[in-house]
Amino acid sequence: MPREGGENDPETEEVLLLEKNLWKPWPRTRTKVKGCLGYVKRVLFVVGDDWIFLFALGVIMALISFTIDFTVNKMLIAHWWLFQELGDNMLLKFLSWTVYPIALTAFSTGFAQSVCPESAGSGVPEVKTILTGVVLEEYLTIKNFGVKVVGMTCTLAAGSPIFLGKVGPFVHLSCMIAAYLGRMRASATNEYENKNKQYEMLVAGAAVAMSSCFGAPVSGVLFSVEVVSSHFAVRHYWRGFFAATCGACMFRLLAVFNSEQETILAPFKTSFNIDFPFDLPEMIFFLILGAVCGVMSCAYLFCQRWLLGYIRRNSIIVKLMAMEKAVYSGLVALLLSSITFPYGLGQFMASRLTMKELLYSLFDNNTWIVLTQNASLSRPHVVDPENLWLEWWDPTFTVYGTIAFFLVMKFWMLVLATTMPMPAGYFMPVFLYGAAIGRLFGEVVAYFFPNGIWTDGVLNLIIPGGYAVAGAAAFSGAVTHTLSTALLALEMTGQLSHILPVLLSVLMANAIAQRYQPSFYDGTIIVKKLPYIPRFWGSQKGSCMVTTDQYMNRNLAPVVKSWGFRDILNALTSSADTEFPVVESEGSMVLLGSVARSELLYFLHSYTGQDTVVEGTPSSGLEKNVGEVCSIQPITFQLSTQTSLYQAHELFELLNAQLMFVTDGGKLVGFVTRTELRKAIEDLALGKTPVQI
């Protein structure tokens, strides 16, 4: 019995509770606020908690995107101001042009590698891998988010000499916020956050990224479906579109509030001729442009993947990357910025323009070859926002020479820049490079048809800007193996009149690229050796001829239902598997289900403290078996020995499975993991016959 007035006395407990809360100010106000918040929470959750968190996802990502753009713009203005204030001293100008991007890229690399190495790169290959059910540690943490934001801001502030973007990292950032909001949702609703809910939020996060970067919600959703998801459920559509629309609206409204635009407009508004934007005979030219972009994309993908592999094989670079990754990024930045110096080779590459201004100039609706016929032309000392095309003009090279030189130099410079181990995106540079291809192609067509194309008594002029839009969509679509870039180009320019020729160019480019090269992100997955199941390239006929018994793993470690303490102990010490198949008996090998390693450990711990243990083994009279203690999970999906490689590949992708057991007439004969499946697909691609392990 506790004594009177002791700790268990109700009056004493009430007094102690009051004394404990005395330091908190305004108790009545806090109680009322807490009650109001609880009421608001109940009302909002009646509408649906999914809508609230998806709205928050779109708004948060739009704010982050606008903040990064605003900060980067101020840093670029400061760099350009410093460059101009140095007067005619070429040495100081060269140092200011080169040291600035070197410092930013070196800091971005060093900060990322020292705090969170997983933040380097675009993050899209890792997001693709995570959405297949693979757990990658540290890739969706808040620490990674902070490092990615800081590193990406420094990378973008390095400017056009480095020639990198933010789309890829923004997909990664959006998925991080989506994962965090998913955990908040589970905490607020007191519900268990299962894998399906996690997947839904990550898919919506990937859709928000593109819309928050360009204000293009429709193409953002489609791009996320094509790039990130191997299989996409229609029920996720509304989540992606709702979150993407919220992000796009907020992003464009912020631009209006910041006086960047008078009202909500397309980010790169064009003014092409709407009545006759193109003539039917030009469809052939757009198809040729698509073929050119497809061939160029194959060359780019091959060179980029080869260079990434070479860097990982070269002993000197490997030692440098192991010790000082920031030094490597600084050396690459020194090379790139030196070449783009405006008073050197950079004057033939429009290097004074930012990436946004480069895209604006390439989408110009005027024909440059016509404008250059003015004899009084001269390049201004500073960039003229109203005549950005003058940065592409040179009296000796002509616009053809400057664009061609830009394409040649930026090809290998972009390939080299993708090897820098820092947070950076690679979609926008590819999009811009495609616009340059299209612009050059359109100017060449305009040169051969200076008066336009005569059809049915009507003379229609050539619009090189339309070819630039088609080239941007075709090349970026071929590199990423997507068709949604056609819609993205139209949403970015607000130009729907070219929808048919742009689609034709994108389809032609994709037909060539998908036949001969994996996409940019799939190639990165291959080089990094991420646990991602590759796609079948070329014909699928061979995959239908290969069966499971040709490549399955036969090294089984089954658990018999009647096993006791000693057998389970031996099984756990001899194998590190996280899941064990359960069979009826060693003779029949009939598969009953599977049991997790944690369940077997619990089975062993259930004997702890018993005094009937003799030499580490419970007495046979009191011993229980696995079937009585452990929870045996039924196996809903399994493979047969005659299941084709193509069918197994589809099941693994659709179910996000990590392991599937193989049975023959109900008897367990082997298992297949992603390792065996990936090796079988790679062997088939190399012309080899997959062999069992």
Side-chain angles (χ1 to χ4, degrees):
M1 292 289 294
R3 62 185 178 85
E4 184 178 359
E7 294 181 355
N8 293 336
D9 186 17
E11 295 182 0
T12 304
E13 291 181 357
E14 184 177 355
V15 170
L16 292 174
L17 184 62
L18 290 174
E19 291 178 352
K20 184 179 180 181
N21 295 328
L22 281 177
W23 64 273
K24 295 182 179 180
W26 308 301
R28 293 184 179 180
T29 304
R30 285 188 291 104
T31 303
K32 291 182 180 180
V33 171
K34 187 176 180 180
C36 292
L37 292 177
Y39 175 76
V40 172
K41 173 184 172 182
R42 290 191 298 271
V43 172
L44 291 178
F45 280 16
V46 168
V47 178
D49 55 288
D50 282 348
W51 297 89
I52 300 170
F53 287 99
L54 291 173
F55 173 79
L57 175 63
V59 172
I60 291 172
M61 294 313 300
L63 290 171
I64 294 173
S65 178
F66 178 80
T67 303
I68 292 176
D69 288 347
F70 181 83
T71 304
V72 169
N73 184 53
K74 295 300 181 182
M75 296 176 72
L76 290 175
I77 292 175
H79 182 210
W80 184 245
W81 173 84
L82 175 63
F83 182 80
Q84 287 182 311
E85 290 298 315
L86 294 176
D88 297 329
N89 192 321
M90 288 299 158
L91 178 59
L92 293 179
K93 279 182 172 290
F94 177 79
L95 290 176
S96 68
W97 183 263
T98 56
V99 172
Y100 190 80
I102 291 173
L104 288 174
T105 53
F107 173 79
S108 176
T109 303
F111 182 70
Q113 295 298 326
S114 60
V115 179
C116 186
E118 292 82 4
S119 63
S122 69
V124 174
E126 289 78 11
V127 171
K128 290 187 66 173
T129 305
I130 291 172
L131 286 176
T132 61
V134 179
V135 178
L136 296 179
E137 300 293 339
E138 300 295 330
Y139 276 96
L140 295 179
T141 60
I142 296 299
K143 180 178 72 172
N144 194 349
F145 175 85
V147 175
K148 198 101 177 178
V149 169
V150 174
M152 183 175 60
T153 303
C154 294
T155 301
L156 295 174
S160 58
I162 309 302
F163 206 61
L164 294 173
K166 73 171 187 176
V167 173
F170 221 72
V171 172
H172 194 185
L173 291 175
S174 186
C175 288
M176 294 182 203
I177 294 296
Y180 186 73
L181 288 175
R183 291 192 292 270
M184 287 183 58
R185 176 190 176 278
S187 176
T189 58
N190 296 322
E191 294 181 1
Y192 173 71
E193 188 188 15
N194 54 33
K195 291 184 177 180
N196 290 332
K197 285 294 183 182
Q198 294 175 353
Y199 182 85
E200 292 170 2
M201 288 299 294
L202 290 178
V203 171
V208 169
M210 186 72 75
S211 63
S212 299
C213 289
F214 302 117
V218 180
S219 57
V221 174
L222 298 180
F223 186 81
S224 68
V225 171
E226 291 183 291
V227 171
V228 178
S229 305
S230 57
H231 286 78
F232 189 83
V234 178
R235 65 177 181 274
H236 299 325
Y237 250 139
W238 74 268
R239 291 180 173 86
F241 274 111
F242 178 73
T245 302
C246 293
C249 290
M250 177 58 67
F251 182 73
R252 294 192 180 186
L253 285 174
L254 289 172
V256 175
F257 294 155
N258 196 43
S259 302
E260 295 178 9
Q261 296 178 346
E262 295 181 359
T263 184
I264 295 180
L265 298 172
F268 298 92
K269 184 67 176 177
T270 58
S271 55
F272 299 152
N273 184 9
I274 302 299
D275 295 332
F276 298 98
F278 62 91
D279 205 350
L280 288 179
E282 287 188 73
M283 304 299 280
I284 299 175
F285 297 141
F286 282 102
L287 285 174
I288 297 174
L289 173 61
V292 172
C293 290
V295 173
M296 291 286 290
S297 68
C298 289
Y300 168 76
L301 291 171
F302 174 80
C303 294
Q304 190 267 343
R305 193 170 66 257
W306 176 87
L307 185 58
L308 282 179
Y310 176 78
I311 288 175
R312 293 171 178 263
R313 295 189 303 267
N314 186 276
S315 59
I316 299 176
I317 301 179
V318 168
K319 292 179 181 178
L320 179 62
M321 296 285 278
M323 300 297 295
E324 295 291 344
K325 289 185 173 66
V327 174
Y328 174 81
S329 295
L331 293 175
V332 174
L334 173 62
L335 175 62
L336 299 181
S337 57
S338 299
I339 293 175
T340 57
F341 183 57
Y343 293 97
L345 293 177
Q347 61 183 314
F348 308 116
M349 302 165 59
S351 61
R352 295 197 300 178
L353 299 181
T354 64
M355 294 188 68
K356 187 174 183 179
E357 291 172 337
L358 283 171
L359 205 54
Y360 263 121
S361 64
L362 293 172
F363 288 162
D364 187 9
N365 64 310
N366 295 309
T367 304
W368 292 350
I369 191 61
V370 175
L371 296 177
T372 55
Q373 295 176 358
N374 188 347
S376 61
L377 283 177
S378 62
R379 181 174 295 181
H381 295 291
V382 295
V383 176
D384 184 3
E386 300 298 327
N387 295 285
L388 296 176
W389 71 272
L390 287 173
E391 299 298 315
W392 296 94
W393 175 78
D394 184 85
T396 305
F397 262 36
T398 72
V399 292
Y400 302 113
T402 54
I403 300 177
F405 186 73
F406 175 88
L407 292 174
V408 172
M409 297 299 291
K410 286 296 183 181
F411 183 89
W412 66 265
M413 292 170 69
L414 178 56
V415 170
L416 183 61
T418 57
T419 65
M420 302 169 73
M422 61 184 183
Y426 312 115
F427 178 81
M428 190 62 180
V430 168
F431 190 83
L432 201 156
Y433 190 87
I437 296 176
R439 186 76 204 193
L440 178 60
F441 189 89
E443 292 290 342
V444 171
V445 173
Y447 175 80
F448 286 105
F449 298 92
N451 298 321
I453 298 178
W454 187 274
T455 305
D456 296 332
V458 179
L459 188 64
N460 297 318
L461 296 176
I462 303 296
I463 303 178
Y467 288 89
V469 174
F475 187 75
S476 59
V479 169
T480 57
H481 287 190
T482 57
L483 302 178
S484 56
T485 54
L487 185 57
L488 173 64
L490 300 177
E491 283 191 285
M492 288 175 62
T493 59
Q495 193 63 248
L496 297 179
S497 58
H498 280 76
I499 184 170
L500 184 58
V502 169
L503 276 174
L504 287 177
S505 299
V506 173
L507 287 170
M508 176 61 73
N510 266 273
I512 296 174
Q514 294 190 29
R515 178 65 180 84
Y516 295 104
Q517 291 291 329
S519 72
F520 179 88
Y521 303 117
D522 290 338
T524 305
I525 288 174
I526 294 172
V527 174
K528 290 186 175 181
K529 297 181 180 180
L530 295 174
Y532 184 82
I533 303 176
R535 297 181 181 179
F536 292 106
W537 304 112
S539 176
Q540 297 177 350
K541 182 178 180 181
S543 62
C544 296
M545 302 297 292
V546 178
T547 56
T548 308
D549 60 347
Q550 294 179 254
Y551 61 89
M552 69 179 180
N553 194 326
R554 298 179 184 272
N555 298 325
L556 293 168
V559 172
V560 180
K561 183 180 179 182
S562 59
W563 275 3
F565 183 91
R566 174 173 293 178
D567 295 320
I568 296 301
L569 181 62
N570 293 334
L572 290 178
T573 54
S574 61
S575 175
D577 295 341
T578 58
E579 185 178 2
F580 293 83
V582 180
V583 296
E584 183 68 32
S585 65
E586 293 183 88
S588 65
M589 292 296 288
V590 175
L591 183 63
L592 301 179
S594 65
V595 61
R597 188 181 187 89
S598 58
E599 286 285 334
L600 297 180
L601 291 174
Y602 172 78
F603 174 79
L604 296 181
H605 292 325
S606 64
Y607 288 97
T608 304
Q610 294 188 14
D611 55 0
T612 57
V613 177
V614 180
E615 294 182 357
T617 307
S619 61
S620 58
L622 298 177
E623 185 177 5
K624 297 180 180 180
N625 58 46
V626 174
E628 295 175 350
V629 178
C630 298
S631 175
I632 300 176
Q633 299 297 324
I635 298 177
T636 307
F637 297 97
Q638 53 189 277
L639 303 175
S640 72
T641 54
Q642 299 304 312
T643 302
S644 67
L645 178 61
Y646 177 75
Q647 292 173 327
H649 179 271
E650 291 294 306
L651 284 173
F652 267 83
E653 282 200 332
L654 187 62
L655 301 175
N656 289 339
Q658 306 300 315
L659 178 146
M660 297 188 76
F661 295 108
V662 183
T663 58
D664 186 7
K667 297 181 179 181
L668 179 66
V669 294
F671 64 91
V672 176
T673 65
R674 288 173 174 263
T675 302
E676 288 82 27
L677 193 64
R678 184 169 62 250
K679 185 178 183 303
I681 295 174
E682 292 173 353
D683 289 344
L684 186 65
L686 296 174
K688 302 178 182 178
T689 302
V691 294
Q692 63 187 16
I693 300 176

